[in-house]
Amino acid sequence: MARILSATLPIAYIVLRIMIVLNWLYGACLVALLSYSFINEPFLMRALHLASPSENPALVIGVRAIAALGILTVPLNLAMLKRLLAMVETVRAGDPFVSANAYRLNAIAWVLLSLQLIGLVIALIGKAVSTPAHPLHLDAGFSPGGWLAVIMTFVLARVFAEGTLMREDLEGTV
Amino acid sequence: MAITVKLDDLLHDRRMTLTELAEKIDITLANLSILKTGKARAIRFSTLEAICQVLGCQPGDLLEFQRD
């Protein structure tokens, strides 16, 4: 068990580092795509199978709004990944039960909640602008697993905070 | 703090050093210093019992409640 745990820690560290880079790339791609949709409008029209923006203006606005919301998730993802990385570093240093980690977990829970809400908004926009002639298939919306993760992280943050207090008490016991 | 530890007075009365007490009750000097200086958050019954046993005192002789 200890061997498995000691192996997962460096893996988690590397995966988180890679995910931070991928998140930046994802953000850069979204910014580029959104900008390009304004610079070269025919490109967007072709992608949406539209003859002109006036054919379905709501779809054009909706797709751009979804891209903008996607960009909004980049700093949120970064905030979560950086906090997770800092937590992994405290485990590597051999002292993870500190109040800073409880605050980090709480912040991660709020980020997860925000991401779930953004996912719902994206799904609603997709549904609102999608037409039988121009259907928009999006992999977003209500995710029971995602909401469970939000609740679990909030609970874990509280457990961590209580555990840290108990540890501080124990350290001051003679 | 409302609870004060009178370990210094007890040791003085019995002409005993903190190091000697630490050795007799098998507690580190660092931990005993924390107790003596009033920086401890809590005291175990086992520690209290050991101190009372060696110093021949009651828990009330070691701890005192002072109203703020």
Side-chain angles (χ1 to χ4, degrees):
Chain A
M1 184 72 178
R3 197 174 296 167
I4 295 166
L5 287 175
S6 64
T8 53
L9 213 56
I11 293 168
Y13 186 81
I14 293 163
V15 168
L16 285 170
R17 285 261 178 218
I18 292 167
M19 282 176 84
I20 287 173
V21 174
L22 288 175
N23 184 52
W24 279 119
L25 283 173
Y26 160 74
C29 287
L30 278 177
V31 169
L33 269 172
L34 188 62
S35 309
Y36 197 63
S37 78
F38 285 102
I39 297 163
N40 187 358
E41 217 162 35
F43 160 77
L44 182 67
M45 296 308 114
R46 273 196 307 275
L48 297 174
H49 305 291
L50 292 172
S52 70
S54 57
E55 193 184 333
N56 191 345
L59 184 64
V60 176
I61 295 166
V63 166
R64 281 176 177 151
I66 289 168
L69 283 169
I71 294 166
L72 190 70
T73 63
V74 175
L76 291 171
N77 288 334
L78 187 70
M80 178 172 64
L81 292 170
K82 280 200 159 182
R83 279 169 178 81
L84 261 176
L85 197 66
M87 286 182 76
V88 169
E89 275 168 359
T90 61
V91 180
R92 288 177 96 185
D95 193 18
F97 298 107
V98 288
S99 55
N101 277 350
Y103 288 118
R104 282 179 186 130
L105 264 176
N106 201 49
I108 288 169
W110 281 108
V111 169
L112 286 174
L113 179 68
S114 309
L115 290 172
Q116 287 302 314
L117 291 173
I118 289 172
L120 283 179
V121 173
I122 286 173
L124 285 174
I125 292 172
K127 207 168 183 181
V129 300
S130 188
T131 58
H134 302 103
L136 202 60
H137 303 291
L138 293 169
D139 186 24
F142 179 77
S143 151
W147 284 98
L148 193 68
V150 171
I151 295 165
M152 217 165 72
T153 316
F154 270 119
V155 172
L156 261 177
R158 191 76 204 123
V159 168
F160 226 89
E162 289 292 328
T164 306
L165 278 177
M166 281 170 77
R167 188 202 153 172
E168 278 172 9
D169 272 351
L170 197 66
E171 275 184 345
T173 303
V174 177
Chain B
M1 196 173 165
I3 301 283
T4 50
V5 181
K6 299 187 292 176
L7 188 60
D8 232 3
D9 298 341
L10 287 171
L11 287 171
H12 184 261
D13 291 346
R14 283 150 183 83
R15 302 276 182 265
M16 193 186 282
T17 64
L18 200 66
T19 314
E20 285 169 343
L21 179 65
E23 282 168 6
K24 284 183 180 173
I25 63 173
D26 202 24
I27 280 178
T28 63
L29 185 62
N31 268 349
L32 213 52
S33 283
I34 289 170
L35 181 66
K36 195 191 87 168
T37 50
K39 287 175 187 163
R41 278 173 181 255
I43 181 166
R44 289 190 182 89
F45 277 134
S46 57
T47 308
L48 198 57
E49 190 183 330
I51 292 171
C52 290
Q53 185 91 40
V54 171
L55 298 180
C57 64
Q58 289 298 314
D61 300 328
L62 185 66
L63 305 171
E64 188 180 47
F65 174 70
Q66 285 178 335
R67 233 170 259 282
D68 290 326

